[in-house]
Amino acid sequence: MGFFSTILYNIKNMKKAKKIREMGKENLLALEDEDFYEAMICLCDDAVYDIKAAGLTKEQILAYSLYMFEMEVNNGGLCQFFVNSSSDCAPFISEALEAIGATELRNLFEQFVNDNGIDVTDLSSFKITDVKEYEAQTKRFDFDSFDERFYDNEDFHQQVIDYFRCNVEQLLKN
């Protein structure tokens, strides 16, 4: 996304987020799961410009981290999560997975990073500039074994939605 496209996207998202906040908790909670999820993602995108920014609630940090983790791993696997800017959320993933009750997935994530000596607070070794570097990153570790087990977890998305529902008031804060 180019610079001006990003600005336009952010302006549109800010307007949409404002409307979502105006709906109020009760109306949001009445939405079907996927509509509710999309509304919460919009709020996350609006609230979180920097995952380490002061003023974010713990729930906003964890919700945004869950969203980025789910999106990236579903799109291209754990390696993609580590190489993209979403990796800023990596230090919060274990806590976020614990918060939604995804203990098995949290254990899998922690085992993967521990077994491979990955420091989730410093993923600079994963930064890439082109496709060739990305391909090399995918071969550094056995990402496929993590990804396959992640994809087998049918409850994860619903656990994220349930977390959003339980914490809607904290997610509505600006």
Side-chain angles (χ1 to χ4, degrees), residues 106-139:
R106 185 210 65 218
N107 292 341
L108 179 65
F109 178 78
E110 289 178 356
Q111 181 179 359
F112 185 88
V113 297
N114 290 335
D115 288 353
N116 293 296
I118 298 170
D119 178 358
V120 294
T121 64
D122 178 14
L123 295 171
S124 57
S125 70
F126 283 92
K127 297 306 170 204
I128 60 168
T129 57
D130 60 35
V131 173
K132 227 176 194 176
E133 288 179 6
Y134 177 74
E135 289 173 359
Q137 290 289 356
T138 64
K139 294 176 175 82

Side-chain angles (χ1 to χ4, degrees), residues 21-87:
R21 284 189 182 88
E22 290 171 353
M23 288 176 66
K25 176 183 171 183
E26 291 75 25
N27 289 329
L28 283 168
L29 289 172
L31 294 173
E32 295 290 324
D33 277 352
E34 289 307 316
D35 292 332
F36 177 77
Y37 176 83
E38 291 300 321
M40 295 298 100
I41 294 310
C42 179
L43 293 179
C44 284
D45 278 342
D46 183 56
V48 183
Y49 294 106
D50 177 3
I51 193 70
K52 297 172 186 158
L56 292 175
T57 67
K58 176 182 173 183
E59 293 80 7
Q60 287 171 324
I61 292 169
L62 297 183
Y64 185 76
S65 297
L66 288 164
Y67 155 56
M68 295 305 290
F69 182 70
E70 180 179 26
M71 178 185 64
E72 294 286 16
V73 176
N74 277 330
N75 189 42
L78 184 61
C79 184
Q80 181 169 310
F81 173 73
F82 285 150
V83 301
N84 283 344
S85 61
S86 56
S87 66

